[in-house]
Amino acid sequence: MDQREFRTRRARALRQDQTRAESTLWQALRNGKLDGHRFRRQYGIGRYFADFACVKLKLVVELDGGVHDDDENDLKDQFREQEIERLGWFIIRFRNEQVTGDLSGVLAGIRDYAARVRA
């Protein structure tokens, strides 16, 4: 299996194994529902997959659950974030609980970033 096929299969598997928070946010972002901004889920950037990415805005939206709370995963997240940012992307992080408990606040945060980029 070549690299491209591997990445396609990996992205597909990640999409099929999404969390409740990812599913909730995807329903609010898909098909340009957020002010016409087109997002992709499990989008490959470098050697990583972004939970959600808007290519036009160069914006990554990451959702963090409890697994991100330990020091080892936090360090991995920091390295991952630095590499994605070096590729010219901006990353916004939200907790799963924010999405399931305050979806409108999460969407407002994404809109705020989009407005600053367009300005």
Side-chain angles (χ1 to χ4, degrees):
M1 171 181 346
D2 69 3
Q3 184 68 13
R4 182 181 169 138
E5 184 179 347
F6 172 78
R7 290 181 60 81
T8 299
R9 285 184 181 192
R10 177 73 177 133
R12 187 174 294 134
L14 288 168
R15 286 191 298 267
Q16 291 171 351
D17 193 31
Q18 66 186 343
T19 65
R20 182 173 149 230
E22 288 172 332
S23 177
T24 298
L25 185 56
W26 180 239
Q27 292 309 310
L29 295 177
R30 67 184 302 185
N31 298 323
K33 287 182 185 175
L34 184 71
D35 303 335
H37 300 296
R38 306 280 302 178
F39 280 84
R40 299 174 185 203
R41 59 186 173 137
Q42 300 305 333
Y43 182 71
I45 300 173
R47 61 186 181 134
Y48 299 105
F49 290 93
D51 289 338
F52 304 95
C54 178
V55 176
K56 184 176 179 182
L57 297 174
K58 298 284 277 191
L59 173 64
V60 169
V61 178
E62 287 291 306
L63 300 185
D64 296 336
V67 70
H68 295 268
D69 292 339
D70 68 59
D71 291 340
E72 183 179 334
N73 283 324
D74 183 53
L75 188 58
K76 286 179 185 178
D77 284 345
Q78 289 177 33
F79 284 124
R80 179 179 185 274
E81 193 165 314
Q82 288 172 356
E83 188 169 326
I84 291 171
E85 287 175 342
R86 271 196 298 275
L87 294 171
W89 292 78
F90 180 79
I91 299 172
I92 300 176
R93 290 185 142 347
F94 297 100
R95 301 283 305 172
N96 286 345
E97 298 82 20
Q98 287 176 277
V99 173
T100 57
D102 183 21
L103 180 60
S104 62
V106 170
L107 296 175
I110 297 169
R111 276 190 181 103
D112 180 57
Y113 175 78
R116 286 184 282 146
V117 169
R118 282 187 270 151

